[in-house]
Amino acid sequence: MAASSTPGSPRLRRTAGDRRAQLVQIGLELLPTTPVQELTIDEVARRAGISRSLLFHYFATKREYYTAVTRAAADFMLDHLLPSPGTSPEEQVSGMLDRYVGWVETFRESHLAFVRGAGGGDPWVAEVYEETRERLVQVALTALELPDDVRRRQLVLAWFAFTEDLVGSWADEPTMSRPELLALLRDVLDRLVAHS
Amino acid sequence: MAASSTPGSPRLRRTAGDRRAQLVQIGLELLPTTPVQELTIDEVARRAGISRSLLFHYFATKREYYTAVTRAAADFMLDHLLPSPGTSPEEQVSGMLDRYVGWVETFRESHLAFVRGAGGGDPWVAEVYEETRERLVQVALTALELPDDVRRRQLVLAWFAFTEDLVGSWADEPTMSRPELLALLRDVLDRLVAHS
DNA sequence: CCGGCTTGCTGAGCAACGCTCAACAAGCTA
DNA sequence: TAGCTTGTTGAGCGTTGCTCAGCAAGCCGG
């Protein structure tokens, strides 16, 4: 990493797209260990081997930068979770749930950082997080072949908060088997949407 | 408010306890409109009519300050929610739940700010928030007259995340009556603890 | 009334960080 | 080679968290 920081190289000039991608990538690498707000421009620039000024050339403001980073993280997760279009509706929901648990198991700290940072102070970042949750709920509802009235959305969104919390603490301290966890989550979801 | 900022007064000297209380109070007033992290020492000092330095005399660091503010907010809420000791176990749980909904209805933005700020970047503040949730769960479990093994705690904590989210969105957009909401929440809780 | 002590309180100033701006230079094209 | 575009930099400004030496309010013993 940071090959361009080698002092010997006479100064490498990148295309705009490359630089942006590199900077976002650095943000993603920093995210698990650093709360989003504490991510400093200096540090990112140093890692990229560029001056602070250049970062402001690509992202007008610090907020704009880490919003982009958060959005990249969200997209990364969504790509992983969204069901392949061929499968059956039932399979789609259980598949997403299963992949979500797997995601949390694999990217433990990253995911926590994403959720944390999202809830945190900044409204812009919170917005990205809300967007992600709503897209997931949207997909889940259509997969369940249910109309999405406001009430059902609220319930499923809240169920997702439940799921996030439970899967998180379960990954820290597994108090049941993985299939048990999945069954429980699915059961609660089914009862809730039936409730409407 | 800010009577001491009047230029005419020759310089008022307060006791340590008073000043601390005043500063925390100002933090509490600022909390609803300002994300915790963006709360600036300058602003607080200005409102208190004192110099920045004095604030650092009472709170060694900015973090220490807004952790104290957050803790004050949490204690304020806990005082409101905790059941009076005389009542029956059943009454205690439903009472807490009812008061929680009332709390969210009344202190809408403050509460959101508390939850948000808590989730956000800073580990210290997050810790205060976790403490609060665990105390609530603790009380709920003893009120339900259930032993609190790890698994049940996880489930009730997750249920509380569910509750926070649902009550929050419900307060924004009431998709059911208040009693219906309470019944639903209670029903989910009962099923979950029975699940153990 | 006065010297002295405690301690609430201040102002100047430093370092870090977000952000700006004028200007340099890499690499392409005519 | 001249000229243009645009990636890139360094100096520098304002704000903010934080430090430190010292002032002064209020109480004490004499």
Side-chain angles (χ1 to χ4, degrees), chain A residues 118-195:
Chain A
D122 196 291
W124 295 50
V125 181
E127 198 181 324
V128 175
Y129 178 64
E130 282 310 318
E131 258 179 58
T132 309
R133 289 182 65 201
E134 293 204 12
R135 277 184 67 188
L136 281 174
V137 168
Q138 175 86 19
V139 173
L141 278 177
T142 54
L144 286 167
E145 292 174 320
L146 290 166
D148 64 339
D149 52 305
V150 185
R151 178 165 168 175
R152 233 190 294 263
R153 284 181 79 89
Q154 283 187 348
L155 286 174
V156 179
L157 271 168
W159 168 83
F160 191 61
F162 173 79
T163 300
E164 268 188 344
D165 196 280
L166 186 57
V167 175
S169 65
W170 174 84
D172 265 352
E173 204 163 10
T175 54
M176 56 186 100
S177 72
R178 203 176 186 282
E180 271 178 319
L181 176 68
L182 287 170
L184 188 150
L185 289 170
R186 186 59 201 267
D187 187 50
V188 174
L189 176 60
D190 287 339
R191 284 185 198 276
L192 280 175
V193 293
H195 228 291

Side-chain angles (χ1 to χ4, degrees), chain B residues 38-55:
Chain B
E38 290 182 19
L39 202 143
T40 124
I41 293 294
D42 251 5
E43 173 72 5
V44 177
R46 210 180 47 74
R47 295 213 176 202
I50 61 173
S51 64
R52 261 157 298 153
S53 326
L54 189 55
L55 206 149

Side-chain angles (χ1 to χ4, degrees), chain A residues 4-24:
Chain A
S4 61
S5 69
T6 314
S9 53
R11 195 194 288 180
L12 190 61
R13 199 183 157 124
R14 297 203 187 196
T15 68
D18 278 4
R19 261 281 120 83
R20 262 191 92 96
Q22 180 206 18
L23 293 174
V24 170

Side-chain angles (χ1 to χ4, degrees), chain B residues 90 93 144 159 183 185-195:
Chain B
E90 164 55 34
V93 177
L144 287 166
W159 169 83
L185 289 170
R186 186 59 200 267
D187 187 50
V188 175
L189 176 60
D190 286 340
R191 285 186 197 277
L192 280 175
V193 294
H195 229 290

Side-chain angles (χ1 to χ4, degrees), chain B:
Chain B
M1 61 178 86
S4 61
S5 69
T6 316
S9 50
R11 195 192 288 179
L12 190 58
R13 200 183 157 125
R14 296 204 188 195
T15 69
D18 279 4
R19 260 282 121 82
R20 262 191 91 96
Q22 181 205 16
L23 293 174
V24 169
Q25 181 57 35
I26 289 175
L28 285 176
E29 285 163 13
L30 251 33
L31 208 53
T33 59
T34 319
V36 205
Q37 308 270 9
E38 290 182 19
L39 202 143
T40 124
I41 293 294
D42 251 5
E43 173 72 5
V44 177
R46 210 180 47 74
R47 295 213 176 202
I50 61 173
S51 64
R52 261 157 298 153
S53 326
L54 189 55
L55 206 149
F56 286 105
H57 179 69
Y58 291 104
F59 305 92
T61 190
K62 186 195 179 187
R63 226 214 286 268
E64 194 178 314
Y65 171 64
Y66 60 61
T67 300
V69 172
T70 306
R71 176 155 277 127
D75 287 345
F76 190 40
M77 185 181 75
L78 273 176
D79 279 356
H80 190 84
L81 296 188
L82 292 185
S84 38
T87 50
S88 76
E90 164 55 34
E91 228 291 305
Q92 288 191 13
V93 177
S94 60
M96 278 177 67
L97 195 47
D98 184 69
R99 283 192 297 274
Y100 178 73
V101 174
W103 177 269
V104 175
E105 287 175 316
T106 312
F107 296 96
R108 189 85 195 88
E109 329 82 64
S110 318
H111 184 253
L112 195 70
F114 173 55
V115 175
R116 273 279 143 81
D122 196 290
W124 294 51
V125 181
E127 199 181 323
V128 174
Y129 178 62
E130 283 309 319
E131 259 178 58
T132 309
R133 287 182 65 202
E134 294 204 12
R135 280 184 65 186
L136 280 174
V137 169
Q138 175 86 19
V139 173
L141 278 177
T142 54
L144 287 166
E145 291 175 319
L146 291 166
D148 64 339
D149 52 306
V150 184
R151 177 162 168 179
R152 232 189 296 260
R153 284 179 79 89
Q154 283 187 348
L155 287 173
V156 179
L157 271 168
W159 169 83
F160 190 61
F162 173 79
T163 300
E164 268 187 347
D165 197 280
L166 185 57
V167 176
S169 65
W170 173 84
D172 265 352
E173 204 163 11
T175 55
M176 57 186 100
S177 72
R178 203 176 186 280
E180 272 178 318
L181 175 68
L182 287 171
L184 188 150
L185 289 170
R186 186 59 200 267
D187 187 50
V188 175
L189 176 60
D190 286 340
R191 285 186 197 277
L192 280 175
V193 294
H195 229 290
S196 308

